Amino acid sequence: MVSARLSTGGCQCGAVRYRISTLPLETYICHCTECRKQSASAFGISVIVDSASVEVTRGAPKRWSRPTAGGGMLDCYFCPDCGTRLWHQGGDDKGRLSVKGGSLDQPVDLRDVPHIWTRSKLEGIVIPDHVARFSEEPDEP
């Protein structure tokens, strides 16, 4: 479940701020090893939005690119001052951004959010029985 309140966010130090002008398209929790590394936690939270709906309102994020498990490239945007990861954009998906849930000003409601890359999930993480789960990346509709 995604709330209409998820409209602004930024980095930890405040140097980079952004606004999202539309509601998110989807949200998911990712247990892949790359999301665990970038979030320094047990999983990453991704809020998918139209890239045209994101406007940087302060500062300028820096970009770093890395290869993906599927053979593509992923552009990762972060604050050049504090290093907070803000969003990702796949090289073949210029129309969508994956905003990092922890960078949003309002918390993301995770009660009904699907979990992906569960084959990489850390022991002890409990996924609610009622939510969708995928061992890897789900197929696009």
Side-chain angles (χ1 to χ4, degrees):
M1 174 184 291
V2 177
S3 167
R5 299 178 306 151
L6 302 179
S7 59
T8 59
C11 66
Q12 209 171 359
C13 73
V16 178
R17 297 285 302 155
Y18 64 85
R19 176 177 31 246
I20 303 171
S21 62
T22 61
L23 290 174
L25 302 169
E26 61 184 305
T27 301
Y28 58 86
I29 295 171
C30 183
H31 297 272
C32 79
T33 56
E34 290 297 328
C35 281
R36 291 193 345 236
K37 284 180 187 177
Q38 69 86 22
S39 68
S41 187
F43 52 80
I45 301 169
S46 296
V47 179
I48 310 303
V49 300
D50 286 319
S51 58
S53 72
V54 177
E55 173 191 6
V56 175
T57 59
R58 181 186 310 144
K62 189 170 179 178
R63 184 185 76 193
W64 170 72
S65 299
R66 68 166 179 83
T68 65
M73 290 298 288
L74 187 68
D75 293 333
C76 308
Y77 292 83
F78 61 95
C79 173
D81 294 336
C82 69
T84 300
R85 193 74 63 100
L86 301 167
W87 59 78
H88 295 164
Q89 186 171 38
D92 57 346
D93 195 6
K94 296 296 183 192
R96 295 165 44 136
L97 294 179
S98 173
V99 175
K100 302 293 96 190
S103 74
L104 292 161
D105 292 337
Q106 295 294 323
V108 179
D109 181 350
L110 300 177
R111 287 178 286 191
D112 298 319
V113 173
H115 289 243
I116 65 173
W117 284 96
T118 57
R119 74 177 193 175
S120 304
K121 176 180 78 64
L122 294 177
E123 293 295 324
I125 298 297
V126 178
I127 300 173
D129 290 335
H130 73 280
V131 299
R133 60 187 81 206
F134 302 90
S135 65
E136 293 184 354
E137 191 93 15
D139 293 331
E140 292 289 323

